[in-house]
Amino acid sequence: MRDRVLTILLLVFLFGLFAADLARPINLTAVDIGRHVKNGELLLQGQWDLLHRNFYSFTHPDHPFINHHWLFGVLSYGVHQCAGFTGLSVVYIGVLLGALFFFLRAAALRGPFALAVFFAFLS
């Protein structure tokens, strides 16, 4: 029982530390979130050429391009419309915490759980 409580506390600490690290203001000069939000807006307005045209290129606008992340743009636009950049940050933190959970779960099924948590702390 004591080991289980200690494990839960360790996981809460790990997830809290990870969430705190992720909860920084969005640096719009280093990430593409603004482009994704704009793509979602344009797609919902019916600009379908965004799916196959090199839309943001100045030098090669006619170069063939397949927009494989169009759905993320639509979802980002929806979240941004509902909750702004704060909402996008919360969704981002939630998705990455979910990914950490699944990686820890997979690692625990294949080896010692303590080792998985140790490497999660290192990363």
Side-chain angles (χ1 to χ4, degrees):
M1 179 67 177
R2 182 173 176 256
D3 289 341
R4 183 130 174 102
V5 170
L6 188 59
T7 301
I8 290 171
L9 288 174
L10 185 65
L11 286 176
V12 167
F13 179 70
L14 174 66
F15 277 74
L17 187 66
F18 190 48
D21 184 50
L22 294 171
R24 286 180 261 162
I26 297 173
N27 180 0
L28 292 175
T29 61
V31 296
D32 288 338
I33 196 65
R35 177 179 55 92
H36 290 297
V37 170
K38 190 63 177 177
N39 283 353
E41 179 185 1
L42 293 173
L43 281 170
L44 290 175
Q45 290 175 352
Q47 289 199 3
W48 301 109
D49 59 337
L50 186 69
L51 297 175
H52 57 82
R53 192 174 142 235
N54 203 358
F55 202 73
Y56 296 105
S57 175
F58 176 73
T59 58
H60 292 51
D62 296 325
H63 184 63
F65 172 77
I66 297 174
N67 186 342
H68 63 278
H69 42 74
W70 62 270
L71 182 59
F72 180 74
V74 172
L75 295 174
S76 296
Y77 178 69
V79 170
H80 184 264
Q81 286 299 108
C82 293
F85 284 112
T86 302
L88 285 169
S89 292
V90 170
V91 169
Y92 173 72
I93 290 168
V95 167
L96 288 181
L97 286 176
L100 176 63
F101 171 79
F102 286 117
F103 280 120
L104 279 176
R105 179 87 174 120
L109 292 174
R110 288 165 179 77
F113 184 70
L115 193 59
V117 171
F118 173 74
F119 283 113
F121 268 110
L122 286 180
S123 66

